[in-house]
Short mmCIF file of all heavy atoms in Angstrom, two decimals:
data_model
loop_
_atom_site.label_atom_id
_atom_site.label_comp_id
_atom_site.label_asym_id
_atom_site.label_seq_id
_atom_site.Cartn_x
_atom_site.Cartn_y
_atom_site.Cartn_z
N LEU A 1 2.36 -12.70 19.40
CA LEU A 1 3.59 -13.08 18.64
C LEU A 1 4.70 -12.14 19.03
O LEU A 1 4.48 -11.06 19.59
CB LEU A 1 3.35 -12.92 17.12
CG LEU A 1 2.11 -13.66 16.56
CD1 LEU A 1 1.88 -13.20 15.06
CD2 LEU A 1 2.35 -15.15 16.59
N LYS A 2 5.91 -12.58 18.68
CA LYS A 2 7.03 -11.64 18.89
C LYS A 2 6.87 -10.51 17.88
O LYS A 2 6.18 -10.59 16.92
CB LYS A 2 8.38 -12.38 18.67
CG LYS A 2 8.61 -13.40 19.79
CD LYS A 2 10.00 -14.09 19.54
CE LYS A 2 10.36 -15.04 20.69
NZ LYS A 2 11.62 -15.73 20.43
N PRO A 3 7.55 -9.36 18.07
CA PRO A 3 7.40 -8.19 17.18
C PRO A 3 7.69 -8.61 15.71
O PRO A 3 8.79 -9.08 15.40
CB PRO A 3 8.40 -7.16 17.69
CG PRO A 3 8.55 -7.56 19.14
CD PRO A 3 8.42 -9.01 19.21
N VAL A 4 6.66 -8.35 14.87
CA VAL A 4 6.89 -8.71 13.46
C VAL A 4 6.50 -7.47 12.56
O VAL A 4 7.02 -7.41 11.45
CB VAL A 4 5.99 -9.87 13.01
CG1 VAL A 4 6.55 -11.19 13.66
CG2 VAL A 4 4.59 -9.74 13.32
N LEU A 5 5.67 -6.56 13.05
CA LEU A 5 5.30 -5.42 12.18
C LEU A 5 5.96 -4.12 12.67
O LEU A 5 6.02 -3.85 13.93
CB LEU A 5 3.78 -5.23 12.27
CG LEU A 5 2.88 -6.39 11.81
CD1 LEU A 5 1.46 -5.96 11.82
CD2 LEU A 5 3.26 -6.81 10.40
N PRO A 6 6.45 -3.38 11.75
CA PRO A 6 7.16 -2.11 12.15
C PRO A 6 6.14 -0.97 12.51
O PRO A 6 6.53 0.02 13.19
CB PRO A 6 7.93 -1.75 10.88
CG PRO A 6 7.16 -2.29 9.76
CD PRO A 6 6.56 -3.62 10.32
N GLY A 7 4.90 -1.19 12.16
CA GLY A 7 3.86 -0.09 12.38
C GLY A 7 2.53 -0.57 11.82
O GLY A 7 2.29 -1.78 11.76
N VAL A 8 1.73 0.35 11.40
CA VAL A 8 0.44 0.00 10.78
C VAL A 8 0.63 -0.13 9.27
O VAL A 8 1.36 0.67 8.66
CB VAL A 8 -0.59 1.10 11.03
CG1 VAL A 8 -1.97 0.76 10.50
CG2 VAL A 8 -0.68 1.33 12.56
N ILE A 9 0.03 -1.07 8.70
CA ILE A 9 0.02 -1.36 7.23
C ILE A 9 -1.37 -1.43 6.71
O ILE A 9 -2.21 -2.14 7.31
CB ILE A 9 0.86 -2.63 6.89
CG1 ILE A 9 2.22 -2.49 7.44
CG2 ILE A 9 0.83 -2.86 5.38
CD1 ILE A 9 2.99 -3.84 7.31
N THR A 10 -1.66 -0.78 5.55
CA THR A 10 -2.98 -0.89 4.98
C THR A 10 -2.80 -1.34 3.48
O THR A 10 -1.84 -1.05 2.82
CB THR A 10 -3.72 0.44 4.95
OG1 THR A 10 -3.19 1.35 4.08
CG2 THR A 10 -3.71 1.10 6.36
N PHE A 11 -3.82 -2.12 3.09
CA PHE A 11 -3.82 -2.72 1.74
C PHE A 11 -4.46 -1.66 0.77
O PHE A 11 -5.48 -1.17 1.07
CB PHE A 11 -4.66 -3.98 1.78
CG PHE A 11 -4.74 -4.80 0.57
CD1 PHE A 11 -3.72 -4.77 -0.32
CD2 PHE A 11 -5.81 -5.69 0.39
CE1 PHE A 11 -3.81 -5.57 -1.51
CE2 PHE A 11 -5.90 -6.48 -0.78
CZ PHE A 11 -4.88 -6.44 -1.73
N GLY A 12 -3.83 -1.44 -0.35
CA GLY A 12 -4.26 -0.47 -1.26
C GLY A 12 -5.24 -0.95 -2.30
O GLY A 12 -5.99 -0.16 -2.92
N ALA A 13 -5.25 -2.28 -2.57
CA ALA A 13 -6.15 -2.82 -3.56
C ALA A 13 -7.42 -3.46 -3.00
O ALA A 13 -8.20 -4.01 -3.76
CB ALA A 13 -5.40 -3.93 -4.40
N GLY A 14 -7.60 -3.37 -1.73
CA GLY A 14 -8.78 -3.87 -1.04
C GLY A 14 -8.96 -3.05 0.24
O GLY A 14 -8.42 -1.98 0.30
N HIS A 15 -9.64 -3.63 1.18
CA HIS A 15 -9.77 -2.90 2.50
C HIS A 15 -9.24 -3.80 3.52
O HIS A 15 -9.93 -4.78 4.00
CB HIS A 15 -11.21 -2.51 2.69
CG HIS A 15 -11.34 -1.45 3.70
ND1 HIS A 15 -12.53 -0.71 3.91
CD2 HIS A 15 -10.51 -0.85 4.57
CE1 HIS A 15 -12.33 0.21 4.84
NE2 HIS A 15 -11.12 0.11 5.26
N PHE A 16 -8.10 -3.51 4.00
CA PHE A 16 -7.39 -4.36 5.02
C PHE A 16 -6.39 -3.45 5.79
O PHE A 16 -5.64 -2.73 5.17
CB PHE A 16 -6.74 -5.58 4.46
CG PHE A 16 -5.99 -6.41 5.52
CD1 PHE A 16 -6.68 -7.25 6.32
CD2 PHE A 16 -4.61 -6.33 5.67
CE1 PHE A 16 -5.94 -8.02 7.21
CE2 PHE A 16 -3.92 -7.03 6.52
CZ PHE A 16 -4.62 -7.94 7.31
N TYR A 17 -6.39 -3.48 7.10
CA TYR A 17 -5.44 -2.72 7.86
C TYR A 17 -5.06 -3.53 9.11
O TYR A 17 -5.82 -4.32 9.60
CB TYR A 17 -6.08 -1.37 8.35
CG TYR A 17 -7.50 -1.42 8.78
CD1 TYR A 17 -7.87 -1.72 10.11
CD2 TYR A 17 -8.53 -1.26 7.88
CE1 TYR A 17 -9.13 -1.87 10.53
CE2 TYR A 17 -9.85 -1.38 8.20
CZ TYR A 17 -10.12 -1.69 9.56
OH TYR A 17 -11.49 -1.83 9.98
N ILE A 18 -3.69 -3.40 9.44
CA ILE A 18 -3.24 -4.26 10.42
C ILE A 18 -2.13 -3.61 11.17
O ILE A 18 -1.42 -2.74 10.74
CB ILE A 18 -2.64 -5.61 9.79
CG1 ILE A 18 -2.22 -6.61 10.86
CG2 ILE A 18 -1.49 -5.24 8.90
CD1 ILE A 18 -1.93 -8.03 10.32
N SER A 19 -2.09 -3.90 12.53
CA SER A 19 -1.00 -3.37 13.42
C SER A 19 -0.79 -4.47 14.39
O SER A 19 -1.40 -5.56 14.45
CB SER A 19 -1.51 -2.09 14.10
OG SER A 19 -2.66 -2.32 14.95
N GLN A 20 0.20 -4.23 15.31
CA GLN A 20 0.55 -5.22 16.37
C GLN A 20 0.43 -4.52 17.71
O GLN A 20 0.96 -3.44 17.90
CB GLN A 20 1.94 -5.74 16.14
CG GLN A 20 2.22 -6.91 17.09
CD GLN A 20 3.50 -7.71 16.65
OE1 GLN A 20 4.27 -7.27 15.82
NE2 GLN A 20 3.67 -8.92 17.19
N SER A 21 -0.33 -5.10 18.62
CA SER A 21 -0.55 -4.53 19.92
C SER A 21 0.65 -4.71 20.88
O SER A 21 1.63 -5.42 20.56
CB SER A 21 -1.79 -5.12 20.57
OG SER A 21 -1.53 -6.37 21.08
N ASP A 22 0.59 -4.02 22.03
CA ASP A 22 1.66 -4.15 22.99
C ASP A 22 1.74 -5.58 23.52
O ASP A 22 2.78 -5.94 24.07
CB ASP A 22 1.41 -3.16 24.14
CG ASP A 22 0.08 -3.38 24.81
OD1 ASP A 22 -0.99 -3.04 24.20
OD2 ASP A 22 0.04 -3.94 25.95
N LYS A 23 0.66 -6.30 23.47
CA LYS A 23 0.69 -7.74 23.91
C LYS A 23 1.15 -8.71 22.82
O LYS A 23 1.22 -9.97 23.09
CB LYS A 23 -0.73 -8.14 24.40
CG LYS A 23 -1.20 -7.39 25.63
CD LYS A 23 -2.59 -7.80 25.98
CE LYS A 23 -3.05 -6.95 27.23
NZ LYS A 23 -4.46 -7.30 27.63
N GLY A 24 1.41 -8.18 21.65
CA GLY A 24 1.93 -9.03 20.59
C GLY A 24 0.87 -9.57 19.59
O GLY A 24 1.27 -10.13 18.56
N GLY A 25 -0.37 -9.34 19.86
CA GLY A 25 -1.44 -9.82 18.97
C GLY A 25 -1.50 -8.94 17.70
O GLY A 25 -1.29 -7.71 17.84
N LEU A 26 -1.75 -9.55 16.58
CA LEU A 26 -1.97 -8.86 15.31
C LEU A 26 -3.43 -8.36 15.32
O LEU A 26 -4.33 -9.16 15.42
CB LEU A 26 -1.74 -9.67 14.10
CG LEU A 26 -0.29 -10.22 13.99
CD1 LEU A 26 -0.16 -11.11 12.70
CD2 LEU A 26 0.77 -9.19 13.96
N VAL A 27 -3.64 -7.03 15.26
CA VAL A 27 -4.93 -6.47 15.24
C VAL A 27 -5.29 -6.00 13.90
O VAL A 27 -4.58 -5.16 13.34
CB VAL A 27 -5.00 -5.28 16.32
CG1 VAL A 27 -6.46 -4.74 16.44
CG2 VAL A 27 -4.52 -5.65 17.63
N PHE A 28 -6.39 -6.53 13.33
CA PHE A 28 -6.67 -6.20 11.91
C PHE A 28 -8.13 -6.11 11.65
O PHE A 28 -8.99 -6.58 12.47
CB PHE A 28 -5.96 -7.19 10.94
CG PHE A 28 -6.32 -8.63 11.20
CD1 PHE A 28 -7.28 -9.25 10.49
CD2 PHE A 28 -5.62 -9.36 12.15
CE1 PHE A 28 -7.63 -10.56 10.65
CE2 PHE A 28 -5.92 -10.73 12.28
CZ PHE A 28 -6.92 -11.33 11.54
N GLY A 29 -8.51 -5.58 10.55
CA GLY A 29 -9.87 -5.37 10.16
C GLY A 29 -9.95 -5.02 8.67
O GLY A 29 -9.01 -4.93 7.97
N GLY A 30 -11.23 -4.80 8.20
CA GLY A 30 -11.43 -4.48 6.80
C GLY A 30 -12.77 -3.86 6.56
O GLY A 30 -13.08 -2.84 7.34
N ASP A 31 -13.56 -4.32 5.62
CA ASP A 31 -14.83 -3.72 5.30
C ASP A 31 -15.85 -4.02 6.35
O ASP A 31 -15.86 -4.98 7.11
CB ASP A 31 -15.32 -4.29 3.95
CG ASP A 31 -14.67 -3.56 2.79
OD1 ASP A 31 -14.52 -2.31 2.89
OD2 ASP A 31 -14.37 -4.18 1.78
N ILE A 32 -16.83 -3.13 6.36
CA ILE A 32 -18.06 -3.43 7.16
C ILE A 32 -18.86 -4.52 6.59
O ILE A 32 -18.72 -4.80 5.40
CB ILE A 32 -18.92 -2.09 7.26
CG1 ILE A 32 -19.39 -1.60 5.87
CG2 ILE A 32 -18.29 -0.98 8.06
CD1 ILE A 32 -20.29 -0.51 5.83
N ASP A 33 -19.78 -5.10 7.39
CA ASP A 33 -20.81 -5.97 6.85
C ASP A 33 -21.81 -5.07 6.14
O ASP A 33 -22.26 -4.11 6.70
CB ASP A 33 -21.44 -6.80 7.97
CG ASP A 33 -20.53 -7.87 8.51
OD1 ASP A 33 -19.43 -7.51 9.05
OD2 ASP A 33 -20.87 -9.05 8.49
N GLY A 34 -22.14 -5.38 4.89
CA GLY A 34 -22.81 -4.45 4.04
C GLY A 34 -24.26 -4.17 4.36
O GLY A 34 -24.90 -3.28 3.72
N TYR A 35 -24.81 -4.85 5.30
CA TYR A 35 -26.26 -4.69 5.65
C TYR A 35 -26.46 -3.84 6.90
O TYR A 35 -25.54 -3.68 7.65
CB TYR A 35 -26.93 -6.11 5.91
CG TYR A 35 -26.23 -6.90 6.94
CD1 TYR A 35 -26.56 -6.81 8.27
CD2 TYR A 35 -25.13 -7.73 6.57
CE1 TYR A 35 -25.86 -7.47 9.25
CE2 TYR A 35 -24.41 -8.44 7.56
CZ TYR A 35 -24.83 -8.30 8.83
OH TYR A 35 -24.13 -9.04 9.81
N ASN A 36 -27.68 -3.33 7.05
CA ASN A 36 -27.95 -2.42 8.17
C ASN A 36 -28.24 -3.34 9.39
O ASN A 36 -28.94 -4.28 9.27
CB ASN A 36 -29.17 -1.55 7.90
CG ASN A 36 -28.95 -0.63 6.74
OD1 ASN A 36 -29.81 -0.52 5.88
ND2 ASN A 36 -27.84 0.05 6.65
N THR A 37 -27.69 -2.93 10.49
CA THR A 37 -27.87 -3.75 11.72
C THR A 37 -27.47 -2.95 12.98
O THR A 37 -26.65 -1.99 12.88
CB THR A 37 -26.98 -5.03 11.67
OG1 THR A 37 -27.21 -5.77 12.88
CG2 THR A 37 -25.50 -4.72 11.64
N TYR A 38 -28.08 -3.27 14.12
CA TYR A 38 -27.67 -2.76 15.39
C TYR A 38 -26.97 -3.83 16.24
O TYR A 38 -26.67 -3.54 17.38
CB TYR A 38 -28.86 -2.22 16.21
CG TYR A 38 -29.53 -1.02 15.58
CD1 TYR A 38 -30.77 -1.00 15.10
CD2 TYR A 38 -28.75 0.18 15.45
CE1 TYR A 38 -31.41 0.15 14.48
CE2 TYR A 38 -29.38 1.32 14.84
CZ TYR A 38 -30.64 1.27 14.40
OH TYR A 38 -31.22 2.40 13.80
#
């Protein structure tokens, strides 16, 4: 996407964080999957 985010933003009432890469993609994530796994 064209530049839309000024920097990194995180959600205070849940677990969500987002930034925008040099290629324009929104890079985001949140909680882990709650089970044990490799």
Side-chain angles (χ1 to χ4, degrees):
L1 305 171
K2 291 182 178 180
V4 293
L5 299 185
V8 182
I9 300 171
T10 74
F11 185 26
H15 200 168
F16 177 80
Y17 39 89
I18 187 168
S19 64
Q20 190 166 14
S21 77
D22 58 286
K23 296 179 181 178
L26 301 179
V27 184
F28 56 95
D31 276 321
I32 57 173
D33 288 59
Y35 54 89
N36 302 131
T37 180
Y38 291 118

